[in-house]
Amino acid sequence: MPSGSTVQDHVALDEIELCGELMIAASSADEDRLSPDRIDEVLRVAARDAGEASPLCGGR
């Protein structure tokens, strides 16, 4: 690897950005915890149909 080069892990950067968005949403929320629906909204997760659980919320 040439000296001075920067290696970026785009998946890790995306995850860091999403975590930041969750922290911002949580800090501005009126309730103690974000609802699963609000988490899905912040993470831009679209349910495939109303009966199917979100893959990020552990099958709520």
Side-chain angles (χ1 to χ4, degrees), residues 5-25:
S5 68
T6 302
V7 176
Q8 293 184 355
D9 182 341
H10 295 285
V11 173
L13 293 173
D14 289 343
E15 289 177 359
I16 291 167
E17 182 179 346
L18 291 173
C19 287
E21 291 177 21
L22 279 174
M23 287 189 276
I24 291 167

Side-chain angles (χ1 to χ4, degrees), residues 20-39:
E21 291 177 21
L22 279 174
M23 287 189 276
I24 291 167
S27 68
S28 65
D30 293 332
E31 59 276 354
D32 288 337
R33 296 175 186 239
L34 294 177
S35 70
D37 288 335
R38 179 66 179 130
I39 292 170

